[in-house]
């Protein structure tokens, strides 16, 4: 690129940018799939971000395109589809791409369950475009709702691999080196290219020297020092930094940042004062300040183990002290020059300060120095639990009063600490916590316990895992129910109601009862549940006097020959008490069904969509309850007293519907809005509700 200005964001990498421009234009002979990889800190993310700037019309307007190598600048045109995987599950990324390809398709929420059906839907959406599709997936190493769950491996296995094998997809992905093989295996020779930024062909050492020199220049914000104001000295130091870092962008950045923050005692002529890797950058900085490197690593430990977008500043000192076993609050709050080069800060939507490490590779180095993560994670988990207030009743924790970090992200720490099964037994937590993260952790714990994590980080979610292995019975119930909670974007009240029913199905009476003592007015109480696959229909009725009644009953249609069932037409039926699971050995034809007049006079009406049931007050139109089962509906009926009978592919259950709370004064006299009370109503193209046929 001699004679041309470098990309202002990338600072070099001319050969790679030329390749990516050719990929964007689909030049003949250009590989259809390009995988960018390299060691942590090699600059993968920065390179892909710089390339995307060249593809975005608004960003292009701010770049000196006329001064840059034209072969490294793709022509103006529509930007490629970019699927950001940061913090998202494989299923969420899959649906993000499908929605972008077919606008209007329900994309589903983050964390929607991934699997073969989802993959097939995605590939079908690709096929329906009828033309080549360019997809860019940056930052694959940051995929997944929790760091301790192997989101990157699942993303490669479930999304990127299938996309790469689709001949009409041009794929560009930034992938950690250990996952490259999983992405490229099975691709035809010549259809893909792996660009390893540490390989001499792509390394661009001169670009790194320019970046270091730019950072040392007082004109760009560096303090005036003998080795920054003198152009020759600045250039020599930049070259020494780049050479010592062996081409690693992050190591060079940390070296310069450390020098400029604390230049006292720094000798540019001593290469031993420059780091060779990220871990050494941490140690050298501590020694330059006269501190023990172990102290600095301990101060950074909570940030290295942090989940989500960052650690709240108020938790930093508490968690650092817990992990170190001594009071580190003076260090983390009173020595900003010690930790400063390694920390970035941001504000959340509520204006609270969040701290995170400048780069994930710093966390890798700190965790490696800590050794076995379990004791550290155990200390952090217990410290987070200590921040959760006790319930006013004096029993258990009040998770509604917990910080968002403790409530939603403690699962990531507890998973590696081995404490997650205990937490999944806490009724308050499973209702209050973000189900995307908690489900991912529960799934990972089950997979690890089942021994399906060979070759993967704990929580790889390997297919074939025995559901719930290693979890308590309550944990297994949560594991099977959480995908529904995620799909519905259920609020805490709806989570409690769905879990109450699921616990009853699994005969966990104590946990089901606990759902009614969390401060929510649940829409139902599950009276009983029958685990009985094969029920084809369900109806309520009355067993008349002389036949064991009068007694309200449930009639469940089952295949002929089912033990205990009596013939009914060409099939058979089981008769159970409606309010208690008492089996009646009676002729189902003797059961009296409600008349149409009786149904019309009932205070509530049952409506059924393809995947959900609504119980609506006839007089006001208000929705009293909405049920979306976690298995396909096969039948449902509503008794005059509001008792709901439901049959699914799993079995049958009876819900005693409770009337909704009175409307607020300003709502009186206004038509009811289904969507206000329907947590499952997250689609605009859903079928209209209709009465169940009888």
């Amino acid at each position: 690129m001699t004679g041309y200005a470098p990309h202002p964001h990338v600072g070099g990498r001319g050969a790679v940018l030329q390749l990516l421009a050719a990929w964007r234009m689909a030049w003949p002979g250009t590989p259809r799939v390009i995988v960018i990889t390299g060691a942590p800190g090699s600059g993968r993310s920065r390179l892909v971000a710089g390339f995307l700037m060249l593809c975005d019309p608004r960003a292009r307007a701010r770049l000196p395109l006329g001064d840059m190598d034209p072969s490294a600048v793709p022509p103006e045109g529509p930007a490629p589809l970019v699927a950001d995987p940061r913090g998202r599950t494989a299923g969420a990324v899959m649906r993000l791409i499908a929605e972008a390809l077919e606008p209007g398709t329900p994309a589903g929420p983050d964390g929607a369950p991934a699997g073969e059906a989802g993959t097939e839907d995605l590939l079908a959406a690709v096929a329906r475009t009828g033309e080549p599709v360019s997809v860019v997936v940056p930052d694959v190493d940051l995929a997944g709702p929790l760091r301790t769950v192997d989101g990157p491996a699942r993303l490669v296995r479930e999304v990127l691999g299938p996309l790469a094998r689709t001949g009409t997809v041009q794929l560009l992905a930034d992938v950690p080196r250990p996952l490259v093989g999983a992405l490229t295996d099975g691709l035809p020779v010549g259809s893909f290219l792996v660009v390893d930024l540490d390989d001499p062909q792509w390394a661009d050492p001169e670009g790194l020297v320019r970046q270091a020199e730019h950072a040392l220049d007082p004109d760009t914000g560096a303090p005036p020092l003998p080795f920054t104001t003198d152009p020759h000295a600045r250039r020599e130091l930049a070259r020494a930094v780049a050479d010592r870092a062996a081409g690693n962008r992050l190591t060079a950045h940390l070296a310069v940042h450390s020098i400029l923050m604390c230049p006292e005692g720094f000798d540019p002529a001593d290469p031993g004062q420059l780091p060779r890797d990220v871990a050494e950058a941490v140690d050298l900085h501590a020694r330059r300040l006269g501190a023990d490197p172990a102290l600095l690593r301990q101060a950074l430990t909570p940030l290295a183990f942090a989940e989500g977008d960052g650690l709240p500043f108020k938790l930093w000192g508490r968690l650092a002290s817990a992990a170190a076993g001594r009071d580190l609050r003076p260090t983390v709050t009173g020595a900003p020059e010690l930790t400063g080069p390694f920390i970035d800060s941001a504000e959340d939507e509520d204006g609270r300060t969040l701290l995170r490490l400048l780069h994930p590779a710093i966390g890798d180095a700190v965790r490696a120095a800590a050794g076995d993560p379990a004791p550290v994670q155990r200390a952090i988990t217990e410290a987070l639990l200590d921040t959760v207030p006790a319930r006013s009743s004096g029993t258990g924790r009040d998770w509604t009063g917990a910080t968002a970090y403790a409530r939603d992200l403690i699962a990531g720490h507890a998973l590696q600490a081995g404490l997650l099964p205990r937490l999944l037994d806490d009724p308050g937590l499973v209702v209050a916590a973000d189900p995307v993260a908690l489900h991912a952790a529960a799934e990972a714990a089950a997979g690890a316990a089942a021994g399906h994590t060979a070759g993967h980080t704990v929580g790889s979610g390997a297919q074939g895992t025995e559901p719930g292995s290693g979890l308590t019975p309550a944990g297994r119930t949560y594991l099977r129910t959480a995908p529904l909670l995620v799909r519905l974007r259920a609020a805490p009240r709806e989570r409690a109601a769905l879990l109450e029913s699921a616990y009853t199905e699994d005969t966990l009476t104590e946990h089901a009862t606990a759902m009614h003592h969390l401060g929510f007015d649940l829409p139902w109480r599950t009276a009983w549940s029958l685990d009985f696959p094969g029920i084809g229909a369900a109806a309520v009725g009355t067993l008349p006097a002389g036949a064991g009644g009068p007694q309200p009953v449930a009639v469940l249609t089952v295949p002929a020959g089912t033990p205990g069932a009596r013939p009914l037409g060409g099939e058979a039926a089981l008769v159970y008490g409606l309010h208690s699971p008492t089996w009646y050995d009676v002729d189902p034809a003797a059961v009296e069904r409600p008349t149409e007049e009786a149904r019309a006079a009932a205070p509530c009406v049952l409506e059924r969509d393809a995947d959900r049931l609504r119980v609506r007050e006839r007089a006001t139109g208000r929705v009293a309850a909405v049920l979306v089962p976690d298995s396909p509906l096969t039948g449902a009926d509503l008794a005059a007293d509001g008792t709901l009978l439901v049959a699914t592919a799993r079995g049958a259950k009876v819900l005693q519907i409770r009337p909704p709370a009175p409307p607020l004064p300003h709502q009186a006299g206004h038509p009811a809005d289904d969507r206000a009370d329907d947590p499952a109503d997250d689609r605009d193209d859903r079928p209209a509700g209709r009465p169940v046929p009888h």
Side-chain angles (χ1 to χ4, degrees):
M1 290 181 61
T2 303
Y4 294 111
H7 190 303
H9 182 74
V10 178
R13 304 286 193 191
V16 186
L17 289 174
Q18 289 174 350
L19 171 67
L20 297 183
W23 171 86
R24 181 71 188 104
M25 292 181 281
W27 280 0
T30 305
R32 181 175 53 81
V33 175
I34 294 181
V35 182
I36 306 295
T37 192
S42 58
R44 303 190 312 257
S45 297
R46 193 174 189 88
L47 170 64
V48 174
F51 168 67
L52 291 176
M53 292 171 67
L54 294 170
C55 300
D56 180 77
R58 290 175 297 180
R60 286 171 64 98
R62 300 191 297 269
L63 296 175
L65 300 183
D67 299 330
M68 297 172 62
D69 182 354
S71 66
V73 179
E76 190 170 359
L81 192 165
V82 180
D84 184 358
R86 289 176 294 181
R88 290 188 168 99
T89 64
V93 176
M94 190 182 302
R95 287 160 177 77
L96 188 68
I97 297 173
E99 161 66 13
L101 293 175
E102 295 184 304
T105 301
D110 186 11
E116 287 302 314
T119 302
E120 292 170 3
D121 291 344
L122 172 62
L123 299 183
V126 171
R128 284 192 291 269
T129 62
E131 57 187 22
V133 176
S134 296
V135 179
V136 180
V137 184
D139 300 312
V140 169
D141 58 325
L142 301 180
L146 295 171
R147 183 189 57 78
T148 44
V149 173
D150 200 355
R154 292 196 66 165
L155 179 63
V156 168
R157 182 174 64 248
E158 298 176 11
V159 181
L160 301 188
L163 281 178
R165 291 186 288 273
T166 302
T168 57
V169 171
Q170 282 187 277
L171 178 64
L172 169 62
D174 154 22
V175 178
R177 191 178 285 148
L179 297 178
V180 169
L183 175 53
T184 58
D185 283 351
L187 295 181
V189 175
S191 67
F192 70 93
L193 177 65
V194 177
V195 177
D196 190 324
L197 297 183
D198 296 315
D199 188 286
Q201 180 182 1
W202 311 106
D204 190 21
E206 283 302 313
L208 181 55
V209 173
R210 284 195 297 270
Q211 286 187 38
E213 186 177 15
H214 179 80
L216 289 165
D217 193 338
D219 289 342
T220 60
L225 298 164
F227 48 80
T228 62
T229 54
D230 180 86
H232 176 73
R234 183 170 65 241
R235 178 72 175 180
E236 289 301 309
L237 177 56
R239 185 169 297 280
V241 167
D243 290 347
R244 186 75 168 175
N248 188 273
R249 262 59 179 171
L250 176 61
T251 301
H253 174 84
L254 293 177
V256 171
H257 201 25
S258 172
I259 292 167
L260 297 182
M261 181 170 285
C262 305
E264 294 80 6
F266 174 69
D267 181 3
D270 181 6
Q273 295 193 37
L274 298 175
R276 290 167 293 191
D277 54 37
V278 173
E280 193 172 36
V282 174
D283 292 352
L284 286 177
H285 181 74
R287 293 192 184 103
R288 183 175 294 121
L289 271 66
D292 182 356
L295 177 65
L296 175 53
R297 288 195 298 269
Q298 288 176 336
L300 297 177
T301 291
L303 304 178
F305 285 89
E307 298 285 356
D309 294 329
L311 186 71
F313 175 77
K314 291 184 177 180
L315 288 176
W316 183 20
R318 178 192 288 261
L319 299 189
S321 300
R326 57 183 175 134
D327 188 3
L328 289 187
R329 285 172 294 182
T331 300
V332 300
T333 60
E337 68 283 354
L338 178 63
T339 58
F342 311 100
I343 294 178
D344 192 14
S345 64
E347 285 191 353
D348 65 11
E349 57 187 17
D350 296 320
R352 291 175 292 230
T353 300
L354 298 178
L355 302 177
R356 56 192 172 209
L357 294 177
L358 198 63
H359 191 280
I362 302 173
D364 295 340
V366 173
R367 290 191 299 272
D372 182 5
V376 177
Q377 291 283 45
R378 194 171 300 117
I380 290 175
T381 302
E382 296 291 357
L384 288 172
L385 288 173
D386 287 343
T387 68
V388 183
R391 295 182 62 195
S392 58
S393 63
T395 58
R397 295 182 175 88
D398 180 9
W399 286 96
T400 63
T403 65
Y405 186 92
R407 181 189 67 231
D408 295 332
L409 298 173
I410 193 174
H413 300 285
L415 172 64
Q416 224 171 16
L419 300 176
L420 187 67
R422 188 182 92 187
L423 289 186
L424 291 174
D425 271 353
D426 188 323
L429 175 64
V430 297
V431 168
D434 170 22
V436 173
L438 194 56
H439 173 235
E443 190 177 40
H452 291 278
T453 56
H456 300 286
T457 300
V458 169
S460 64
Q463 293 180 355
T465 296
E466 181 68 23
S469 300
L471 300 178
T472 65
R476 291 194 290 272
T477 299
Y478 184 83
L479 180 63
R480 75 170 178 84
T481 309
L484 181 63
L485 306 182
V486 170
R487 179 167 65 86
L488 301 182
R489 298 184 178 94
R493 175 177 179 266
E494 287 69 41
R495 295 175 205 159
L498 291 168
L499 284 167
E500 186 266 1
S501 189
Y503 287 135
T504 302
E505 289 172 351
D506 294 342
T507 67
L508 298 174
T509 305
E510 182 178 346
H511 284 79
T513 300
M515 295 295 104
H516 291 278
H517 298 285
L518 294 176
F520 301 109
D521 181 23
L522 300 190
W524 60 67
R525 181 180 293 273
T526 306
W528 58 264
S529 175
L530 177 66
D531 189 0
F532 198 104
I535 299 173
V540 299
T542 302
L543 198 61
Q551 174 71 37
V553 293
V555 180
L556 308 175
T557 304
V558 295
T562 298
R566 292 282 199 96
L568 182 66
E571 298 177 294
L574 294 164
V575 179
Y576 283 88
L578 187 61
H579 297 142
S580 64
T582 303
W583 173 61
Y584 289 91
D585 186 13
V586 297
D587 182 359
V591 176
E592 297 177 352
R593 305 296 178 88
T595 64
E596 291 303 320
E597 292 77 8
R599 290 188 182 279
C604 292
V605 61
L606 177 63
E607 299 173 348
R608 177 175 173 178
D609 288 349
D611 64 345
R612 70 197 64 196
L613 300 169
R614 291 183 187 83
V615 176
R616 188 185 299 276
E617 288 184 324
R618 191 184 301 275
T620 65
R622 297 175 64 221
V623 173
V626 180
L627 175 68
V628 183
D630 61 357
S631 56
L633 278 166
T634 59
D637 201 358
L638 184 67
D641 65 355
T643 301
L644 176 62
L645 171 64
V646 181
T648 69
R650 174 186 174 88
K653 59 184 174 182
V654 169
L655 307 181
Q656 295 172 340
I657 305 300
R658 305 174 66 183
L664 297 175
H666 72 276
Q667 295 175 322
H670 291 270
D673 180 3
D674 290 0
R675 303 174 64 87
D677 294 313
D678 189 346
D681 225 343
D682 56 0
R683 302 174 298 176
D684 293 332
D685 60 344
R686 60 184 178 86
R690 59 186 184 278
V692 175
H694 298 290

